[in-house]
Amino acid sequence: MNISAYILEYLKQFGTATVPGFGVFSLKNSKAIINSENGSILPPASQIEFAIDYEVQAEELTAYIAEQKQMSLDASRSDLKIQTDFWKKKLQAEQVLEIQNLGTVFIEEGDTHFKEKEWKPAARTFTGWKKSGSQISTTGKSKCLGKP
């Protein structure tokens, strides 16, 4: 597994992943949205946000990766530093950096922005909602879609 996959797994478990010397990824929960045209519901979901901070330091993610990869804390620290140095150089040189599994960091007019990776609807499995045979309408009544 690559570093970004470990960051994503850590993020799912703890809600925030501080990447030493690079920045902080966090999950922001969005509420369910009801489409008034057809009464369908888009379930609650989580969005990834990122705040760049080359000075940030924390050991939690480093320790998590060390445990997952069964390596020493120093080796994990070294792997993270190599990865973040590469990310910083690429972002500086190209003004855009795609981080697999997470999204794209880009610099526009001197400001750093983040666009989360677009997920296919089938990949939205971490919502806590189960598929049901009924559809909730905006009138407050349910409409059965399957057999009664």
Side-chain angles (χ1 to χ4, degrees):
M1 221 187 323
N2 61 31
I3 296 287
S4 62
Y6 286 111
I7 294 170
L8 181 60
E9 288 305 311
Y10 188 88
L11 193 55
K12 286 179 183 177
Q13 285 185 40
F14 302 105
T16 301
T18 301
V19 182
F22 190 68
V24 180
F25 290 93
S26 55
L27 287 180
K28 178 184 172 192
N29 294 323
S30 64
K31 296 180 179 180
I33 300 170
I34 298 175
N35 182 334
S36 59
E37 291 178 18
N38 63 15
S40 64
I41 297 175
L42 181 62
S46 294
Q47 291 180 291
I48 299 172
E49 295 183 339
F50 175 71
I52 199 161
D53 183 349
Y54 290 169
E55 303 301 317
V56 71
Q57 294 300 318
E59 288 287 314
E60 293 85 359
L61 178 65
T62 308
Y64 174 82
I65 293 171
E67 180 183 324
Q68 295 299 309
K69 292 176 91 172
Q70 299 180 343
M71 63 191 326
S72 72
L73 194 58
D74 284 339
S76 178
R77 209 176 278 122
S78 176
D79 281 0
L80 264 172
K81 177 143 178 43
I82 290 167
Q83 183 65 70
T84 57
D85 284 350
F86 171 77
W87 285 344
K88 289 188 264 192
K89 287 175 186 170
K90 184 167 176 137
L91 182 60
Q92 183 67 35
E94 299 176 15
Q95 303 290 290
V96 65
L97 168 68
E98 184 178 341
I99 303 174
Q100 187 180 4
N101 304 311
L102 298 168
T104 304
V105 181
F106 60 97
I107 299 172
E108 189 174 78
E109 296 179 14
D111 293 325
T112 304
H113 303 277
F114 178 78
K115 182 176 189 299
E116 114 177 278
K117 179 181 185 234
E118 290 186 27
W119 299 95
K120 296 176 185 172
R124 300 184 86 191
T125 57
F126 194 64
T127 62
W129 287 57
K130 291 195 297 187
K131 188 173 179 177
S132 171
S134 64
Q135 177 180 355
I136 299 172
S137 72
T138 56
T139 61
K141 298 179 181 176
S142 320
K143 180 168 109 181
C144 186
L145 299 177
K147 294 180 182 179

